[in-house]
Amino acid sequence: HLQWIEVLKKRESLLSRRNFLKNKFFSKIPNDSKIVFFISEPQPPIENNYQPINFRGWDNSKKRTHICFQEIIKSLDKLNFKYHIIFKLHPKDNKHDYNKYKNMIYKFEKGTELNHELMVASDLVVGMTSNLIFQSVVLGLPTISINMSKKEKELIPNEIGEQLVSVRKEYELDAHVKNKITYFKPNVFKTNCVTSDVNIKKFFNSI
């Protein structure tokens, strides 16, 4: 969990630069439009049995990222907001697999060096159970994890899960999207003690 330690240590600096980062990355987007940072994940091996049974999407896809993306679009479309989506590709992703969504996506992001800055500049971070979702929680950002099946909930570390909004039903997703995207409000990631590098490492090593 060394990545999480580094994320926690630079959280305040990143959050203090949020307005600067929004202008840096999204100056061409109208101020009244919400920015959603969507995190893709590769399809797990079939033997892992993470079958998407809680959500269906709109085109009978069996692929988790497709279903997850379709569900967040459905929720966003129910709100009286304009929105722009940053689609964070996984290193194993092929961008062409998502060509049918290109008119719904403002930008595909493939690199990793700007992940945290883009997330902080966004109004909402959405994904499934990737490490980047967990890092978003550590940063204190409005974050939603869409659990495609009961088994996926088991992938979330306890300390992260206690502070991460996880949804398993469409009505839950709708409610949390509306709540979190209306006003940006960072959360304080709670640890027992983060006053020294030693204690930070001790906390994350316990997860």
Side-chain angles (χ1 to χ4, degrees):
H1 304 297
L2 292 177
Q3 285 180 316
W4 297 0
I5 296 171
E6 295 306 314
V7 171
L8 187 61
K9 288 164 65 175
K10 66 182 182 179
R11 175 184 60 191
E12 295 305 321
S13 173
L14 282 168
L15 289 174
S16 70
R17 297 167 56 223
R18 183 168 187 268
N19 289 336
F20 168 79
L21 294 172
K22 282 182 74 73
N23 187 60
K24 175 182 177 180
F25 296 120
F26 307 133
S27 60
K28 295 181 180 179
I29 294 178
N31 290 332
D32 62 347
S33 183
K34 301 296 184 179
I35 311 298
V36 178
F37 189 88
F38 176 84
I39 303 170
S40 174
E41 287 187 33
Q43 190 74 0
I46 193 167
E47 61 268 20
N48 286 4
N49 197 32
Y50 296 136
Q51 299 302 316
I53 60 174
N54 295 333
F55 296 93
R56 300 297 182 185
W58 63 61
D59 66 356
N60 297 316
S61 175
K62 300 298 183 185
K63 296 182 178 180
R64 294 163 71 244
T65 290
H66 286 262
I67 296 172
C68 185
F69 181 79
Q70 292 172 13
E71 290 293 340
I72 191 62
I73 291 293
K74 285 163 60 178
S75 289
L76 289 167
D77 283 345
K78 295 173 185 177
L79 302 176
N80 189 28
F81 287 117
K82 297 176 184 176
Y83 62 86
H84 288 70
I85 293 182
I86 309 302
F87 193 107
K88 177 64 182 75
L89 293 163
H90 189 274
K92 294 181 180 180
D93 274 340
N94 184 334
K95 176 181 173 181
H96 299 298
D97 289 342
Y98 306 107
N99 276 345
K100 63 182 178 181
Y101 306 125
K102 63 183 179 181
N103 292 332
M104 307 175 193
I105 295 169
Y106 176 71
K107 181 183 180 183
F108 284 99
E109 183 67 29
K110 190 167 181 65
T112 60
E113 64 276 2
L114 297 177
N115 281 346
H116 295 148
E117 291 188 347
L118 285 167
M119 288 159 66
V120 168
S122 300
D123 297 292
L124 178 65
V125 178
V126 182
M128 288 164 277
T129 53
S130 69
N131 187 43
L132 204 52
I133 279 284
F134 305 154
Q135 292 180 38
S136 180
V137 175
V138 174
L139 283 170
L141 304 178
T143 307
I144 298 175
S145 169
I146 300 178
N147 293 163
M148 295 294 167
S149 66
K150 183 178 180 180
K151 191 167 185 177
E152 291 193 27
K153 182 81 172 178
E154 301 170 4
L155 299 175
I156 304 174
N158 289 337
E159 283 77 0
I160 294 290
E162 291 171 1
Q163 302 175 63
L164 170 63
V165 170
S166 298
V167 298
R168 293 179 56 196
K169 302 292 181 182
E170 186 174 322
Y171 73 87
E172 294 176 342
L173 179 60
D174 291 346
H176 284 294
V177 167
K178 181 178 181 179
N179 175 262
K180 288 188 172 293
I181 207 170
T182 302
Y183 300 104
F184 180 87
K185 182 180 179 182
N187 301 310
V188 176
F189 182 71
K190 298 177 180 135
T191 64
N192 293 329
C193 182
V194 294
T195 56
S196 71
D197 289 353
V198 171
N199 285 323
I200 290 173
K201 290 178 182 178
K202 185 182 296 184
F203 171 78
F204 281 112
N205 287 335
S206 70
I207 296 180

